[in-house]
């Protein structure tokens, strides 16, 4: 099913789930690798024409799809991702603070940057409060005012 309508404009799509965050990181790595190969093959350092940029984006996305055929991301997401990585004010490639895996970082987020695997383990390790934990607190804290 091909995406219809306007292209995505918010980086939130990459950060909405751990899976999409990891898919976006993998897509960004494909872009960076193929972009650097293209730059290395250019004899003269020059700015890419729009056609060359489009060809490299297509090559990076085809390479990504060969590795991740069931990905929820499409070519328009790659265009948005590349723009976000070049602006470097909202998203960036980063490393997991625990295992050093490459991950997509939300630069506006204050919490530790973890990959999906480490985040899942951290979430599982946090003990959950019982649902009625507030019932005992209310009884103990209610005292006479005078
Ligand atoms: Zn990790």
């Amino acid at each position: 099913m091909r995406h219809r309508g306007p292209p995505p404009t918010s980086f939130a799509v990459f950060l909405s789930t751990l899976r999409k965050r990891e898919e976006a990181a993998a897509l960004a790595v494909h872009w960076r690798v193929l972009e650097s190969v293209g730059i290395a093959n250019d004899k003269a350092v020059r700015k890419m024409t729009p056609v060359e940029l489009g060809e490299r984006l297509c090559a990076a996305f085809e390479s990504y799809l060969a590795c991740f055929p069931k990905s929820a991301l499409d070519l328009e997401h790659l265009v948005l991702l590349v723009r976000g990585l070049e602006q470097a004010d909202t998203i960036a490639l980063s490393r997991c603070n625990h295992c050093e895996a490459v991950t997509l970082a939300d630069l506006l987020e204050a919490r530790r940057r973890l990959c999906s695997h480490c985040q899942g383990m951290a979430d599982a390790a946090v003990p959950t409060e019982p649902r009625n934990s507030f019932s005992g607190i209310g009884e103990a804290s209610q005292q006479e005012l005078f």
Side-chain angles (χ1 to χ4, degrees):
M1 186 79 178
R2 189 168 169 230
H3 173 75
R4 302 272 180 200
T9 56
S10 171
F11 302 119
V13 68
F14 303 127
L15 307 169
S16 60
T17 64
L18 291 175
R19 181 178 174 92
K20 282 192 177 173
R21 185 181 292 235
E22 295 304 313
E23 286 183 1
L27 184 56
V29 167
H30 276 257
W31 167 250
R32 287 278 167 91
V33 168
L34 290 178
E35 179 191 33
S36 64
V37 168
I39 291 170
N41 288 340
D42 272 345
K43 302 293 182 218
V45 178
R46 60 182 173 80
K47 189 174 179 181
M48 276 188 279
T49 66
V51 172
E52 290 171 329
L53 175 62
E55 288 174 348
R56 287 187 185 169
L57 286 168
C58 287
F61 191 69
E62 287 172 3
S63 168
Y64 170 76
L65 278 185
C67 297
F68 304 98
K70 295 182 179 177
S71 174
L73 302 178
D74 57 26
L75 182 62
E76 291 176 332
H77 289 116
L78 175 59
V79 173
L80 178 64
L81 186 62
V82 167
R83 189 176 46 153
L85 294 173
E86 286 181 4
Q87 290 172 348
D89 58 356
T90 306
I91 58 171
L93 279 179
S94 181
R95 291 194 179 273
C96 172
N97 287 349
H98 187 256
C99 73
E100 303 269 321
V102 175
T103 186
L104 189 70
D106 179 358
L107 299 177
L108 306 175
E109 184 181 56
R111 64 183 212 174
R112 286 178 48 187
R113 294 178 183 155
L114 298 173
C115 69
S116 62
H117 177 73
C118 294
Q119 186 65 53
M121 289 176 47
D123 291 344
V126 173
T128 58
E129 299 268 335
R131 288 181 184 246
N132 59 358
S133 64
F134 292 109
S135 63
I137 293 171
E139 294 170 8
S141 63
Q142 200 169 44
Q143 299 173 357
E144 292 184 30
L145 293 175
F146 303 102

